[in-house]
Amino acid sequence: MLLEKEKNALLEHDYQTLKNVYAANAKLFHDFQNHIDVVYHYLLKNHTTEAAHYIENLRSPIREITQTAWVGDEAVDYLINSKIALAASQNIQVGTNIEFPRRTNIQSVDLVAILGNLLDNALEAIENEEDRFRFVNLTIRRINDMLVIKVENGCSAAPTEMNGSLQTSKADKTLHGWGLQSVRAAAERYDGTIETEYSDQIFRAVVTLSFEAVKA
């Protein structure tokens, strides 16, 4: 059992992750209104060339942030898409293969905790890798009443372990430990597990959850 202080830290970490997801999107829409005002000004002046150029500059970042992952949960979709946009800004290739069951008892906050931490760890792991290792693959698949979440990333060498636990390069190793505990704690709420493995220069983290269908 986690100590009460550690439990509170996990809850605060998950809350901040979810809060940051919504804040990032609030900023996107706030900035979008400003961009619309600029384009409107150009069009009023019949400066169509400038308007077209301005819109073209906006298309790529907006497309990266607003692409849909089709999980069907607003917070989780925001989280996945924001991580994809972050990866793109760092020249990291992201592949997705998502098949998410509708109307289950799996809570949004638990999915955010699991996916947020796994994706953060994957992105951190390849910060200093050469180009051929700069990729992350996210797979979410349903197998009967089980949900499998797999995150893979390139890894030129096997990660360091100590006493059976993966070690981080982050300066704040305590927070990193809480993040991994958060994934495990969320999985256990659904009689689930988390397993990791390294082979063929790929690191994999796999979370399995048991779920129940919920009537609409």
Side-chain angles (χ1 to χ4, degrees), residues 125 129 133 153-162 165-169 196-204:
E129 292 281 8
F133 296 113
N153 62 267
C155 195
S156 58
T160 304
E161 291 191 26
M162 182 178 294
S165 297
L166 296 172
Q167 299 302 296
T168 179
S169 59
T196 60
E197 71 165 3
Y198 172 80
S199 63
D200 300 324
Q201 297 184 309
I202 296 177
F203 180 79
R204 299 177 183 85

Side-chain angles (χ1 to χ4, degrees), residues 26-38 58 62:
K27 181 179 184 300
L28 168 65
F29 288 111
H30 176 269
D31 290 347
F32 187 72
Q33 180 60 54
N34 291 333
H35 294 314
I36 290 295
D37 289 343
V38 171
L58 289 175
I62 289 177

Side-chain angles (χ1 to χ4, degrees), residues 6 32 57 61 74 78 83 101 104 117 133 135 140 177 193:
E6 291 174 320
F32 187 72
N57 287 336
E74 185 176 21
Y78 281 164
K83 298 303 181 186
T104 74
N117 282 294
F133 296 113
F135 66 86
I140 303 177
T193 62

Side-chain angles (χ1 to χ4, degrees), residues 131-195:
D131 288 348
R132 65 192 179 104
F133 296 113
R134 296 180 68 79
F135 66 86
V136 173
N137 294 323
L138 169 62
T139 302
I140 303 177
R141 303 287 292 178
R142 173 184 181 172
I143 302 177
N144 297 322
D145 293 333
M146 299 290 295
L147 186 70
V148 179
I149 299 172
K150 178 170 66 175
V151 176
E152 300 175 307
N153 62 267
C155 195
S156 58
T160 304
E161 291 191 26
M162 182 178 294
N163 298 324
S165 297
L166 296 172
Q167 299 302 296
T168 179
S169 59
K170 289 181 180 178
D172 191 347
K173 290 179 170 54
T174 304
L175 182 58
H176 181 78
W178 282 341
L180 294 178
Q181 289 183 53
S182 182
V183 174
R184 184 170 290 104
E188 289 176 350
R189 282 193 279 274
Y190 304 92
D191 297 322
T193 62
I194 174 174
E195 298 180 354

Side-chain angles (χ1 to χ4, degrees), residues 72-136:
D73 181 290
E74 185 176 21
V76 179
D77 281 343
Y78 281 164
L79 175 70
I80 294 174
N81 291 322
S82 66
K83 298 303 181 186
I84 291 174
L86 175 61
S89 72
Q90 298 175 352
N91 296 317
I92 295 171
Q93 298 297 316
V94 178
T96 58
N97 183 2
I98 297 174
E99 177 193 348
F100 193 82
R102 305 295 181 179
R103 296 188 292 275
T104 74
N105 64 321
I106 302 175
Q107 298 298 305
S108 173
V109 66
D110 291 324
L111 286 172
V112 167
I114 293 170
L115 289 166
N117 282 294
L118 292 185
L119 290 170
D120 282 345
N121 289 347
L123 292 172
E124 173 209 338
I126 54 180
E127 280 180 345
N128 300 314
E129 292 281 8
E130 57 184 279
D131 288 348
R132 65 192 179 104
F133 296 113
R134 296 180 68 79
F135 66 86
V136 173

Side-chain angles (χ1 to χ4, degrees), residues 30-48:
H30 176 269
D31 290 347
F32 187 72
Q33 180 60 54
N34 291 333
H35 294 314
I36 290 295
D37 289 343
V38 171
V39 172
Y40 180 69
H41 170 78
Y42 279 137
L43 293 178
L44 280 180
K45 301 292 185 179
N46 290 322
H47 295 166
T48 55

